[in-house]
Amino acid sequence: PASSPPLSPPPPRPSPPPRALPAAILRHIGRKHGACGKTEAEATQVDMFLEAIEDARQAYLKLAYTDGCEESKCVEFAATHTDATARNGGKIAHINDAASRFGTSFIAGTAEATVAD
């Protein structure tokens, strides 16, 4: 009788692609399509807003997935992240304040839309 082939391990799976940060992806798209600001100063403003928005997003994700969106945690999040005087907080308030100081339609004070918008 013919012997059956020995069991072999399954073929290796390709490793998943590395997880990129959303701000890095947006910067790449912006550079590729000219949407990161026209000057060095505008590019710096775009970077600042992308990082600030990412900080606020991370705080929100923590609320949603770690803290479980309990009512008390939601109230605390709103108080902490929308009040510019809150210690170590005010992320959303600071983004709104900074954007309003530019007096343009676009968040980073640019003449055209950027990836921060």
Side-chain angles (χ1 to χ4, degrees), residues 35-103:
C36 279
K38 301 294 181 207
T39 66
E40 192 66 31
E42 287 180 352
T44 300
Q45 288 297 117
V46 169
D47 281 345
M48 180 191 77
F49 278 103
L50 286 176
E51 291 303 320
I53 292 165
E54 180 60 19
D55 285 348
R57 188 179 86 74
Q58 289 297 322
Y60 178 76
L61 290 174
K62 179 182 179 293
L63 170 69
Y65 294 107
T66 303
D67 297 340
C69 272
E70 297 171 15
E71 185 173 346
S72 64
K73 294 289 185 178
C74 290
V75 170
E76 179 184 337
F77 178 88
T80 302
H81 296 291
T82 59
D83 179 3
T85 63
R87 181 166 184 201
N88 296 324
K91 290 173 174 56
I92 296 168
H94 290 304
I95 292 168
N96 288 336
D97 289 345
S100 68
R101 279 186 258 142
F102 290 116

